[in-house]
Amino acid sequence: MFSPALSQLAIAFPDIDPIIVQFGPLAIRWYSLAYIVGIVLGWLYARRIVRNERLWGGKAPVSVPDLDDFLLWATIGIIVGGRLGFVLFYDLPLYLEEPSRILQTWQGGMSFHGGLIGTTVAMFAFAWRRGLPVWSLIDIVSAVVPIGLFFGRVANFINSELWGRPSDVPWAVVFPTGGDIARHPSQLYEAALEGLVLLLVLRLCTHTFLKLRSPRFVTGVFIAGYGAARTFVEFYREPDFQIGYLYGDWLTMGMVLSIPMILLGLALVATAGKPAAR
């Protein structure tokens, strides 16, 4: 059990300014940079996946120019969906009282589940407009999303937000916004599981098991993998203060939104298309 006295032995929060550089009223923040770097690196990795004909058993059904044009659609889906998801799922009363705060994204407040919905809408719309096989496009995007998740969670850590529950583990951190209490650095747990581990698992699916030839499989692994990782970390992450626990002292909104993802992901894997003949 956590002991307040042990907070003195916790790791001090690194002195990292959330603002990288500022020019008058214009500030470049780590939070914004994380989204930009994640999107750009994901786009570059997706281009490599599309160019690798071995992964597809021939020419990929989605071209590099298609990905280049989709980049803007994806960016809009991530930002608009992520922000609106946070507003609707986590703190709607506050934003109804002060609608202007919806646009203040530099203060944090992005929902992965909302971003997923926004990006999914963008993928279906773009695939329909271009006449592309929608599941192949979604598989490509799913394979690269953990890159953005990794940088986003690291940015959450730098912002001293979404920290974990009180803890006396040796690596507990006292966050400047979390009171004089040592806490789990749950943002880094998520960066490791949702980012690095999930990226490696998806890399095995695409490059070793050649599952891009089975539409929906990679998407299913990503959705189920994220849902499982997020549900696990929720046991160490402090629930949003405006919501708290939904049941007992363990069920959180993050779990409620993530558990259905596990079921959906498993269903997609089970119904994935058969590999094309070589």
Side-chain angles (χ1 to χ4, degrees), residues 247-267:
Y247 178 79
D249 60 352
W250 62 276
L251 184 64
T252 66
M253 177 61 77
M255 292 180 184
V256 170
L257 296 173
S258 297
I259 292 175
M261 293 181 65
I262 300 174
L263 301 177
L264 174 60
L266 294 176

Side-chain angles (χ1 to χ4, degrees), residues 71-212:
L71 181 61
L72 177 60
W73 292 59
T75 302
I76 294 174
I78 291 169
I79 296 175
V80 175
R83 187 58 172 172
L84 291 182
F86 182 83
V87 170
L88 294 173
F89 298 150
Y90 291 97
D91 211 354
L92 182 58
L94 173 64
Y95 291 103
L96 289 178
E97 291 181 4
E98 301 181 60
S100 62
R101 296 188 62 171
I102 296 176
L103 301 178
Q104 298 175 13
T105 56
W106 58 87
Q107 295 184 357
M110 297 287 282
S111 163
F112 167 79
H113 299 90
L116 177 64
I117 294 173
T119 307
T120 300
V121 171
M123 287 186 288
F124 272 93
F126 184 82
W128 174 79
R129 185 184 180 95
R130 287 291 181 92
L132 301 174
V134 65
W135 284 112
S136 291
L137 176 61
I138 297 176
D139 283 342
I140 295 168
V141 173
S142 296
V144 306
V145 168
I147 297 174
L149 290 175
F150 172 80
F151 285 103
R153 295 310 183 190
V154 171
N156 291 148
F157 180 83
I158 294 174
N159 264 13
S160 184
E161 61 184 0
L162 306 182
W163 19 256
R165 305 183 191 186
S167 172
D168 55 12
V169 296
W171 56 87
V173 175
V174 177
F175 291 93
T177 59
D180 187 23
I181 300 174
R183 298 178 178 276
H184 283 287
S186 56
Q187 315 96 321
L188 301 184
Y189 299 171
E190 292 187 79
L193 292 176
E194 301 168 6
L196 298 178
V197 173
L198 189 53
L199 181 65
L200 291 176
V201 170
L202 292 170
R203 174 83 178 188
L204 285 175
C205 291
T206 57
H207 287 67
T208 301
F209 301 116
L210 304 179
K211 288 300 184 178
L212 286 170

